Amino acid sequence: MSETESGGERSTTGDLDEQALFYHRYPKHGKLAIQATKPLGNQRDLALAYSPGVAAPCREIERDPSLAAVYTSRANLVAVVSNGTAVLGLGDIGPLASKPVMEGKAVLFKKFADIDVFDIEIDAREIDHICDVVAALEPTFGGINLEDIKSPECFEVEARLRERMAIPVFHDDQHGTAIIVAAAIRNGLMLAGKKLEDARIVTSGAGAAGIACLNLLVELGAKRENITCTDIEGVVYEGREKRMDRWMAVYAKKTDKRTLEEVIEGADVFLGLSAGGVLKPDYLKAMAAKPMIMALANPTPEIMPDLAREVRPDAMICTGRSDFPNQVNNVLCFPYIFRGALDCGATAITEGMKTAAVDAIASLAREEVSEVAAKAYGSETPVFGADYLIPAPFDPRLILKIAPAVAKAAEADGVATRPIVDMPAYIDRLNRFVFRSGLIMKPIFRIARDSGKRVIFSDGEDERVLRAAQVLLEEKLCAPILIGRPSVIASRLERHGLRIRPGEDFEVVNPEDDPRYRDYVDHYFAKVGRKGVNPDSARTIVRTNTTVIGAIAVSRGEADALICGLEGRFPHHVRDISQVLGAVEGVRKFAAMSILISQTGTKFFVDTYVQRDPSAEELAEMTMLAAAEIRRFGIDPKGALVSHSNFGSDDTASTRKMREAVAILRRLAPDTEVDGEMHGDAALSEATRQRIMPDSILKGEANLLIFPSLDAANITLNVVKTMTDSLHVGPILLGAASPAHVLTPSVTSRGIVNMAAIATAEAVQRGG
């Protein structure tokens, strides 16, 4: 199965293709780049990095080859190798055309497990040629991930390379799928009160993934005599000659039956890795009680889950799709298997290591989900059962469970050249990576999806909002409501080639002609009538101010969240929200938090847009609001109040208020990990901070930076964003009584989608 999510067939293929082409082309071609990890800012650096200094590590590695793991990046470098002969959904498209897929695989390795990858597409089709090319790469890499090589050649290629190479060689199409399938089947059979050694298994599909799944299940205890394999030619039986190979022949049965329909009677498990629709509803009636249906063809499963449940409500169903429970997705395991293998210097990936991964995935689904992990699943905490047999691909605990388990198994199997000595410290290092991986938006999208929350956009005529609305509808993230003139919205949708239509796909609020106008005026005047607004001006404002219109809709319960700010001044929008929606009880002032997501992690900045010169009390309040917001992302806040002073090294009005804010936080939020005042480098480096203040309660790297003024926060945000090429998410308005966010005029449609998802998730979690 693919390690990317598939939501099934859509009528928007053309739109998705266009967006994907743009994504791959801009702002830089492709998805990967090489980045130096050492400074190269002067002649001395150059002498150390290259000649003559580089000779020293070369001599050390010549003397002891294992030191390559110390002096080079080899121990964290994997090759994703393909000849493009079996690219998922595309077939034999050749090595060059497969390159975007391999770059995508490389990105997943980096994002999920911090593993560096070179994608290598080879023009080689014969087994000998492939093996010679890949084996020659061993000095460069710590591991080899074979990808999209057609069956049956892939079996022979992997087997030969495992014999020739002293580094892990892993064909993910085989073993990644097999590991997740085995974990799901183990848990499903447990729920059904059955044992693997007694289970009757029928498969549809006998390619690389199918055979690998059966091999692993046999390794785990399944009996070959209980397995019946079918493919496009029917049952794999003794004596069959067409489309046979020696790997399939292992599962050939002595039988007169020739079709899937004939052999599925009494089966406990159906394992499909073939084509959509091959498992007919009538076939299910003959299966055993509480059957497992692994319908893993993509994008159309062998049988759709809703159809299967009509016939067999007792069935447990897995697919390869993200829009159904129990998604079998290779990203559940391959990054973490390599993480564990690389970290212990494994020379191979053994059956014991694969079994350890199966155990870790299966047991993780049975564990009680922590509050942090629950963020990966949405508003409802998953409970082990028929709809939760395996963890979600974005469960942050996966790396913490699988990588250590694989490393331990490697040591037990005698293939670890650098066994993990301090396992708790190793797990702690993995834990720190989880929360700087830049995947923080994924839980937000999961919470928002299918919630049905209504988000109203005050700038509904803007092209960026229209494009964002189409994405939001396609991804089922919210129900957009657009404020604007219907004729203008319709003409701009047509001009930009967008598929969605006003009145059909989304609601439109026409500020020039809405039947609720008088009610809106009365509602608005009731809010601001004693704040300098008279009835005449109230009527004008409600006709012309789209932020006010959107805020009234939220206040009246006709929308769940507001997105505004693409035109006009930021403070004016904040004023309108404040007047109509007000603040959360107990909050004195709004604040704004911005998020920067970079290759090295995620940072939160406060206050970047609202309070110009906050007092100590206001700094403490915004810090507590920001910490609560950060926790919604499943992240523990680590706050640093930054200053030109380092723990009292200077004494000015600015530094005194930062110190006072820390004292207030100690009283009001003693459980929040925050300290200050401190320099920016002390906030981001524990080693630097320890030299200055060894007893600081802030541990590790701060992820929340609180600034003494709007000037300092906004300038820092924009400088860092530009220097690091970071994605800016926000600003997130903190303290409003209902979800409402003011964007900036420079925001992109992607930024609007992100903020709409955040607003929707906030509405879900508030229960509004």
Side-chain angles (χ1 to χ4, degrees):
M1 302 305 298
S2 171
E3 59 278 348
T4 56
E5 292 201 30
S6 172
E9 296 174 319
R10 291 183 177 146
S11 60
T12 56
T13 302
D15 295 328
L16 185 62
D17 286 350
E18 181 182 349
Q19 294 168 21
L21 291 173
F22 186 90
Y23 174 87
H24 281 77
R25 187 172 183 179
Y26 300 103
K28 294 181 179 180
H29 299 173
K31 300 188 285 283
L32 295 175
I34 295 175
Q35 184 174 0
T37 61
K38 298 294 191 296
L40 200 65
N42 54 40
Q43 185 62 38
R44 180 66 173 171
D45 292 341
L46 182 60
L48 294 172
Y50 199 54
S51 182
V54 74
C58 290
R59 287 192 295 266
E60 288 297 296
I61 294 170
E62 182 185 26
R63 179 182 61 81
D64 180 359
S66 69
L67 292 176
V70 176
Y71 295 121
T72 76
S73 62
R74 182 176 185 262
N76 195 52
L77 186 61
V78 166
V80 171
V81 181
S82 180
N83 63 0
T85 53
V87 179
L88 182 74
L90 299 173
D92 187 350
I93 61 175
L96 184 58
S98 76
K99 188 173 180 62
V101 178
M102 304 314 135
E103 284 191 355
K105 188 71 176 257
V107 170
L108 295 179
F109 266 110
K110 187 64 178 179
K111 281 294 185 183
F112 283 92
D114 199 25
I115 294 172
D116 297 318
V117 168
F118 290 160
D119 62 293
I120 299 179
E121 296 74 33
I122 59 175
D123 188 8
R125 301 180 73 88
E126 295 77 21
I127 292 173
D128 289 343
H129 191 186
I130 296 170
C131 291
D132 288 342
V133 170
V134 177
L137 299 172
E138 183 170 347
T140 301
F141 297 99
I144 302 290
N145 183 94
L146 301 175
E147 192 78 11
D148 293 347
I149 299 172
K150 73 182 182 75
S151 175
E153 287 90 335
C154 60
F155 297 110
E156 187 67 29
V157 167
E158 189 192 45
R160 291 192 193 181
L161 289 174
R162 285 167 62 93
E163 291 180 2
R164 291 176 62 173
M165 304 180 77
I167 57 175
V169 178
F170 187 81
H171 186 210
D172 184 46
D173 299 326
Q174 294 181 53
H175 308 299
T177 303
I179 287 166
I180 304 159
V181 164
I185 289 177
R186 173 172 284 180
N187 279 345
L189 292 177
M190 179 184 296
L191 283 172
K194 301 175 183 179
K195 295 181 179 179
L196 182 58
E197 55 265 32
D198 299 326
R200 276 208 58 226
I201 301 170
V202 173
T203 77
S204 174
I211 296 298
C213 287
L214 294 180
N215 290 344
L216 184 56
L217 288 171
V218 169
E219 180 73 22
L220 294 172
K223 297 290 195 300
R224 279 195 176 88
E225 57 265 30
N226 291 336
I227 296 172
T228 304
C229 189
T230 73
D231 65 3
I232 195 170
E233 300 296 335
V235 174
V236 177
Y237 60 90
E238 288 185 6
R240 196 182 103 171
E241 296 181 359
K242 193 173 183 181
R243 289 181 179 265
M244 289 292 291
D245 56 58
R246 64 186 178 92
W247 295 277
M248 288 172 57
V250 172
Y251 296 99
K253 296 201 74 166
K254 192 172 184 178
T255 178
D256 294 330
K257 297 177 179 179
R258 295 292 183 264
T259 66
L260 175 61
E261 182 180 9
E262 291 177 282
V263 299
I264 202 167
E265 183 178 356
D268 299 290
V269 178
F270 168 80
L271 174 57
L273 287 150
S274 54
V278 302
L279 183 62
K280 308 303 180 186
D282 285 346
Y283 297 2
L284 302 184
K285 296 176 182 178
M287 293 186 72
K290 298 181 180 178
M292 285 205 69
I293 300 171
M294 312 287 294
L296 306 183
N298 249 338
T300 306
E302 284 79 2
I303 188 168
M304 293 298 289
D306 51 352
L307 187 58
R309 287 206 184 281
E310 287 181 15
V311 181
R312 293 300 300 263
D314 61 334
M316 291 168 280
I317 306 168
C318 298
T319 71
R321 292 171 43 148
S322 61
D323 52 347
F324 294 109
N326 298 322
Q327 184 195 12
V328 174
N329 188 322
N330 286 14
V331 83
L332 269 168
C333 70
F334 76 80
Y336 317 124
I337 289 173
F338 269 98
R339 181 73 278 158
L342 292 172
D343 290 340
C344 70
T347 57
I349 292 178
T350 64
E351 293 304 313
M353 293 162 73
K354 289 189 286 184
T355 299
V358 172
D359 292 341
I361 295 169
S363 64
L364 187 56
R366 300 193 297 268
E367 287 184 10
E368 182 178 346
V369 179
S370 67
E371 180 182 356
V372 171
K375 301 293 185 181
Y377 292 91
S379 57
E380 294 185 6
T381 301
V383 177
F384 179 58
D387 288 335
Y388 180 58
L389 297 172
I390 48 177
F394 293 89
D395 191 317
R397 300 170 298 168
L398 284 163
I399 191 172
L400 305 177
K401 295 291 185 180
I402 298 174
V406 168
K408 289 177 183 177
E411 183 177 3
D413 288 346
V415 297
T417 61
R418 300 188 306 275
I420 306 296
V421 177
D422 188 344
M423 189 59 70
Y426 175 61
I427 293 173
D428 182 61
R429 177 162 66 86
L430 294 175
N431 194 56
R432 290 198 301 272
F433 163 73
V434 167
F435 296 111
R436 70 168 198 272
S437 63
L439 293 170
I440 65 164
M441 287 301 298
K442 196 63 188 181
I444 297 297
F445 276 75
R446 187 173 292 278
I447 294 168
R449 187 164 286 122
D450 293 321
S451 67
K453 295 298 181 182
R454 302 155 299 171
V455 177
I456 191 164
F457 295 84
S458 65
D459 302 289
E461 297 177 2
D462 191 286
E463 177 192 350
R464 293 166 293 176
V465 171
L466 299 176
R467 292 189 180 280
Q470 177 154 307
V471 173
L472 292 166
L473 286 164
E474 289 174 359
E475 299 297 331
K476 300 179 182 178
L477 294 173
C478 68
I481 302 171
L482 272 55
I483 301 175
R485 294 161 293 178
S487 60
V488 174
I489 291 174
S491 65
R492 290 182 180 177
L493 287 169
E494 184 174 357
R495 181 195 311 165
H496 298 301
L498 298 174
R499 179 185 52 82
I500 56 174
R501 292 293 175 263
E504 298 177 20
D505 300 304
F506 60 90
E507 181 184 344
V508 175
V509 175
N510 183 359
E512 296 179 345
D513 182 21
D514 190 283
R516 298 165 294 185
Y517 171 68
R518 292 185 182 278
D519 294 336
Y520 272 40
V521 171
D522 292 343
H523 190 94
Y524 180 61
F525 188 70
K527 297 278 187 180
V528 300
R530 295 182 180 274
K531 298 178 181 178
V533 178
N534 60 45
D536 286 339
S537 59
R539 284 189 285 271
T540 301
I541 290 169
V542 173
R543 183 74 77 188
T544 59
N545 188 321
T546 55
T547 295
V548 168
I549 295 171
I552 293 172
V554 173
S555 180
R556 284 166 51 93
E558 295 165 358
D560 300 298
L562 166 66
I563 300 292
C564 62
L566 273 68
E567 294 182 6
R569 296 185 61 197
F570 195 98
H572 294 170
H573 295 289
V574 172
R575 175 203 62 203
D576 293 335
I577 292 170
S578 177
Q579 289 180 339
V580 177
L581 295 178
V584 173
E585 185 176 355
V587 171
R588 289 174 292 184
K589 283 190 177 181
F590 292 167
M593 180 174 75
S594 293
I595 309 173
L596 288 187
I597 303 174
S598 71
Q599 292 295 327
T600 58
T602 300
K603 293 290 181 286
F604 301 84
F605 296 73
V606 194
D607 172 3
T608 47
Y609 282 94
V610 178
Q611 297 189 39
R612 296 183 179 182
D613 186 18
S615 66
E617 292 78 8
E618 290 161 350
L619 284 167
E621 180 178 80
M622 71 173 65
T623 300
M624 290 186 288
L625 289 171
E629 184 74 18
I630 292 170
R631 291 188 183 100
R632 289 202 308 106
F633 289 85
I635 296 175
D636 289 327
K638 291 176 173 287
L641 282 82
V642 293
S643 169
H644 71 275
S645 170
N646 226 0
F647 297 103
S649 64
D650 199 359
D651 190 44
T652 65
S654 173
T655 62
R656 285 193 292 272
K657 78 173 180 180
M658 298 302 273
R659 275 176 236 144
E660 187 179 346
V662 172
I664 295 170
L665 287 166
R666 294 277 192 273
R667 291 199 314 271
L668 300 182
D671 295 332
T672 300
E673 192 175 332
V674 61
D675 207 350
E677 84 283 10
M678 68 181 79
H679 287 176
D681 58 349
L684 300 179
S685 168
E686 184 171 26
T688 300
R689 188 168 59 253
Q690 284 292 311
R691 287 196 297 269
I692 304 162
M693 187 57 58
D695 63 351
S696 172
I697 68 167
L698 177 62
K699 304 301 179 185
E701 183 178 330
N703 54 25
L704 169 61
L705 302 178
I706 304 99
F707 294 85
S709 69
L710 188 148
D711 273 355
N714 192 273
I715 291 169
T716 304
L717 171 73
N718 285 291
V719 169
V720 173
K721 178 178 71 173
T722 303
M723 290 180 65
T724 60
D725 195 24
S726 298
L727 170 66
H728 177 213
V729 177
I732 298 172
L733 192 64
L734 304 174
S738 298
H741 301 290
V742 183
L743 307 185
T744 59
S746 62
V747 70
T748 63
S749 60
R750 179 189 182 191
I752 296 171
V753 169
N754 283 334
M755 286 306 302
I758 287 173
T760 303
E762 186 179 353
V764 170
Q765 292 175 326
R766 287 191 186 198

